[in-house]
Amino acid sequence: MKTKKYAVIGHPIGHTMSPFIHKRLFALSGIDAEYTALDIVPQAFESEYAATLRYLDGYNITIPYKQRIIPLLSALDSKAEMYGSVNTVHNAGGVSKGYTTDPDGFLKALEAAEIQIDGKIVILGCGGVARTMAYEIALRGKPLCFAVRAKSVDKAKSLCAEIKEKVSGAQTSYIVADDLSGKIDLLINATPVGMFPHSDEQPVSDSVIAECAAVYDAIYNPLDTVLIQKARANGARAEGGMSMLVWQAVVAHEKWDGSRYDKEDIARLCANCAEELLGR
């Protein structure tokens, strides 16, 4: 059987964790495959698709090509169509199908951390990551509130309206983050506040963190943000973004070859990724 060929594409792409993660997932599933990183400049994107990408068995996509790839594909998964974004492509039998694995990666990361999507749910931020998480929460019939900076209120208002239009019965609201108060069952940080090199920052006050039963931080560098550290110190269940990064890769393998992985193997891979990140 020939070696399968996969890649991650983007620009710039020098510090991607994708090869490290996917090579280990192929090893775990016993599949003979190569996985490389391809830095494609914008002016060469379509020509590179014709010359290279369409001949791969599959590939992952990062910024800035998650939307630009769509017109070149044969088909879209229902979630990729709903989100208008593709981060994984499977080529088989002359058909190139696009998927977005971030939503399921988010859900699997919460499940692995035993964090429930229930009660009072607050999402910090209203950008792309927040949008993905919010849709998945709304699709499960759970109410959610975006907590944003004052200058982002209009954007949050628009996102609430969009979700209500697309998801029947969705319950979305927004608040200025400085006005957050009271018990929070699940706080999700979908902002870059606390990300390396500004690792000493936190997106909400200590008083807000103290009221959280569970916290999920989409940031994976550092592995444990100040938000995560303080939430755990308060006795809250808390998880960082490395798990979502790995689980969305796991979902890509499910699409490519139907591979399934043990929760324990993925936990070890998350730890290995953290070690790799620290060594860079």
Side-chain angles (χ1 to χ4, degrees), residues 219-238:
I219 292 171
Y220 66 84
N221 185 13
L223 183 67
D224 291 334
T225 60
V226 171
L227 173 61
I228 292 295
Q229 293 174 41
K230 290 187 174 181
R232 286 177 179 158
N234 291 333
R237 190 174 293 277

Side-chain angles (χ1 to χ4, degrees), residues 135-255:
Y135 264 99
E136 294 308 308
I137 292 167
L139 286 166
R140 274 146 192 80
K142 305 298 182 179
L144 64 104
C145 177
F146 294 101
V148 300
R149 295 173 297 180
K151 68 179 184 180
S152 299
V153 164
D154 287 345
K155 185 177 179 182
K157 183 178 181 180
S158 295
L159 182 53
C160 285
E162 175 194 322
I163 294 172
K164 287 177 180 176
E165 180 182 349
K166 291 189 176 182
V167 180
S168 178
Q171 303 171 63
T172 60
S173 60
Y174 58 90
I175 189 174
V176 175
D178 290 342
D179 295 335
L180 267 180
S181 63
K183 295 289 184 182
I184 298 173
D185 294 289
L186 173 57
L187 179 74
I188 300 171
N189 180 33
T191 79
V193 179
M195 183 185 296
F196 179 84
H198 304 292
S199 306
D200 58 340
E201 297 179 358
Q202 61 190 64
V204 289
S205 67
D206 288 354
S207 60
V208 171
I209 299 172
E211 295 294 327
C212 297
V215 171
Y216 188 83
D217 195 336
I219 292 171
Y220 66 84
N221 185 13
L223 183 67
D224 291 334
T225 60
V226 171
L227 173 61
I228 292 295
Q229 293 174 41
K230 290 187 174 181
R232 286 177 179 158
N234 291 333
R237 190 174 293 277
E239 184 72 18
M242 183 62 77
S243 58
M244 181 175 170
L245 183 68
V246 173
W247 278 108
Q248 64 83 25
V250 168
V251 178
H253 283 251
E254 293 176 356
K255 306 301 184 186

Side-chain angles (χ1 to χ4, degrees), residues 2 14 42 46 60 65 71 74 86 95 101 130 143 147 156 186 196 200 269 271:
K2 71 171 186 175
E46 279 74 18
N60 300 114
Y65 301 126
S74 308
V86 167
V95 174
T101 66
L186 173 57
F196 179 84
D200 58 340
L269 179 52

Side-chain angles (χ1 to χ4, degrees), residues 6-20 22 35-42 45 48 53 56 58-66 86-87 220 245 248 276-277 280:
Y6 297 86
V8 57
I9 65 168
H11 180 75
I13 204 169
H15 298 290
T16 178
M17 289 285 292
S18 290
F20 183 89
H22 287 282
Y35 191 100
T36 57
L38 300 177
D39 192 326
I40 302 174
V41 295
F45 182 69
E48 193 67 27
L53 301 182
L56 297 174
Y59 51 96
N60 300 114
I61 304 159
T62 187
I63 294 171
Y65 301 126
K66 290 186 177 184
V86 167
N87 74 346
Y220 66 84
L245 183 68
Q248 64 83 25
E276 170 70 10
L277 193 64
R280 291 190 173 192

